Structure formats: C-alpha cells, structure tokens
C-alpha cells in the first residue's frame, strides 16, 4: 500500500513539475502575431466560423489578405501558415485546425512540395502549436531529432528570456485577442521590379515521395471532415522548373488532388512590378490586395462557396485596418 502511495505521489510530482515548467515556458515565449504560426490569435476565432483555411509558407501569409476576400465574397478565411513550412507540418496544422474549425475549403500552397525535409523554422512552426496529439505527432514525424527535446520541454528553448519578457508579452499570452489581419503579415515596402529566377527544385527523391504521402493523408482527412482540398502555386518571380512542375501536376492528378498554378494567371491580376512586390518571392500589401481579389473571383468561379456567416463587425474592422495601411 505504501509503495502505491509513493508511486502516486511521484507521479503527481512529475505531473505538477511538468505543468509548472510548461506554463513558465509559455509565458516566456515571444508573442507571435505575424510571420506565421500565430496559433494564439487563430484560437480566438469563433468556433466553426472559418469558411476557408489557408496553409503553407510565407508565400501565403505575405500574399493572401483575408479581409479583401471577405469584402469580395463574404467568406471568412484565415491564413494559418508558417515560415518555410514543410508539407508534413502543414498536414499537422490542418489536423489541429479541424479541432476548432470546419472549413468548406482547405487551401495549401504547394511550393513546399520541393522544400528539403527540414527547414530552419521547425522551432517556430511546431513550437507555437497548442499541446495535443497533432503537436506531438508533428514533433516526432516532422521535426529534426535535435529539435525534439525543446519541443517536448519548451522551457529548454525559452529559459534565457526570463529577463527579457515584458508586460506586453505576458498580456499577449494571458489575454490574446482576434488579430486584425487574420494571419496575414502586412508588408508595405517595395523592391525594384524583380528579375525572373528559376529555383533549384526537383520532383524526385525520398522527400518528394514522402510529401506526396502526406498530401494523400491530407486529401483523406479533408474528405473525412467534409472539406474540399485545393493546392496552388503562388505567383512569384521565383519559378518552379518546368519539368518539376509537370511532374507535380501529374502526381497530384493521379491522386485526385486539385492544383492551380497562379503563376500562369499573373497577367490577369494587374500587378505593377514597380510597386507591388516586397521582394522577388512575396507581394507587399498592394500586391496582396490584387492577388487576394483575383483569388476571390477565381474561387467564386470554380467553387461557388456559400458564406456560413461570421462576425461582420470584426471583419469590417479588419478591412478598415488594411485599407488604412493601403492608403496611408
């Protein structure tokens, strides 16, 4: 009997220690409200309120501004992307997002099909996910071995900030609010007209095949949750090699997964190369407005989604916020 009590006491102590260190790490983490992985703000969205969810890399959170999509279509959307986000991590993001949302359409930017197995942002992409089975799965199946300890015990990653954490950080964690950009990162600077570049991508090898497996898992997950799935190529001056793109198109078609190449549609978007690019890969706010409005019309033409209804006052504030920055 005493051994049972001792074992129970030890277990309770371990659980208490884990809870305390987890809370400490959470409070020490920098508040993240832009450049992707903004789970705290996303979780403030009303449950079941998002018609469209968008995933992928910076090619999504720099290029798609949901407030303009709402103005054009009435659809509420959220960008839940992350920097250089890999396809497996995007899959676990979608799985986690389904815990609180039931979108009609899941959209994934497909350039990640050509990324290496690991990029430089695993800590941010997975470390901001809420604790649960999807985060644990991402930690073991989508993170480098050397990153796993810090993801499982995040105080290891953030203990050094105990002197740097501010009252604003603590307030942001304890009292998060729905953001005014719905996952979009607002960029106003512009670069000179970008030069076309062909990126060093190939549609071959073990990692590409692994990514295809995760696309199949994502297709099946969306079908099970009653959501449609769309993959797309973001418009940019950094082009995917023609042979790699052709292989990807064939592989996705064979798996009954839709793919839209918006690079081919650039002439229809009204992009001004002298004002609308942040760099050769990403739009600034002007370019993002044009692309998002084009995307809105494209979605209406090809999907005909009906808005479920959302907090119109919140979305008007989001639209006003972007319009103010656009005309500042």
């Amino acid at each position: 009997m005493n051994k049972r009590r001792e074992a129970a006491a030890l277990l309770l102590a371990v659980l208490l220690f884990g809870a305390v260190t987890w809370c400490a790490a959470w409070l020490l983490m920098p508040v993240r409200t832009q450049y992707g992985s903004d789970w705290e703000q996303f979780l403030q969205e009303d449950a079941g309120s998002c018609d469209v969810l968008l995933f992928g890399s910076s090619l999504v959170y720099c290029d798609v501004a949901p407030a303009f999509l709402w103005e054009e279509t009435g659809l509420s959307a959220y960008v839940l992307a992350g920097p250089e986000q890999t396809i497996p991590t995007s899959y676990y993001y979608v799985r986690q997002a389904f815990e609180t949302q039931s979108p009609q359409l899941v959209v994934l930017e497909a350039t990640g099909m050509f990324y290496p197995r690991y990029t430089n942002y695993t800590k941010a992409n997975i470390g901001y996910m809420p604790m649960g089975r999807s985060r644990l799965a991402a930690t073991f199946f989508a993170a480098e071995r050397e990153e796993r300890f810090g993801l499982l015990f995040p105080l290891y990653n953030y203990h050094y900030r105990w002197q740097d954490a501010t009252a604003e950080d603590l307030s942001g964690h304890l009292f998060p609010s729905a953001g005014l950009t719905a996952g979009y990162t607002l960029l106003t600077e512009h670069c000179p007209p970008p030069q076309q570049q062909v990126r060093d991508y190939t549609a071959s090898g073990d990692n590409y095949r692994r990514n295809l497996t995760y696309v199949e898992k994502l297709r099946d997950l969306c079908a099970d949750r009653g959501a449609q799935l769309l993959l797309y190529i973001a418009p940019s001056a950094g082009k995917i090699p023609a042979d790699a793109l052709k292989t990807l198109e064939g592989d996705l078609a064979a798996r009954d997964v839709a793919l839209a190449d918006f690079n081919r549609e650039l002439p229809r978007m009204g992009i001004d190369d002298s004002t609308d690019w942040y760099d050769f890969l990403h739009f600034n706010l002007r370019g993002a407005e044009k692309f998002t409005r084009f995307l809105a019309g494209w979605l209406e033409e090809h999907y005909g989604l009906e808005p479920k209804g959302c907090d119109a006052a919140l979305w008007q504030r989001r639209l006003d916020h972007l319009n103010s920055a656009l005309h500042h």
Side-chain angles (χ1 to χ4, degrees), residues 152-171:
L152 292 171
F153 304 99
L155 190 59
Y156 174 81
N157 282 337
Y158 297 106
H159 67 278
Y160 68 92
R161 294 194 76 245
W162 70 274
Q163 287 184 313
D164 300 328
T166 65
E168 186 177 352
D169 286 330
L170 298 179
S171 177

Side-chain angles (χ1 to χ4, degrees), residues 112-146:
M113 291 294 298
F114 308 107
Y115 288 171
R117 180 165 183 174
Y118 304 118
T119 60
N120 298 317
Y121 299 95
T122 301
K123 178 178 167 181
N125 279 326
I126 299 177
Y128 280 87
M129 293 180 70
M131 180 51 74
R133 64 188 186 96
S134 293
R135 174 178 170 142
L136 289 173
T139 298
F140 285 105
F141 301 122
E144 305 93 315
R145 185 180 298 273
E146 58 268 26

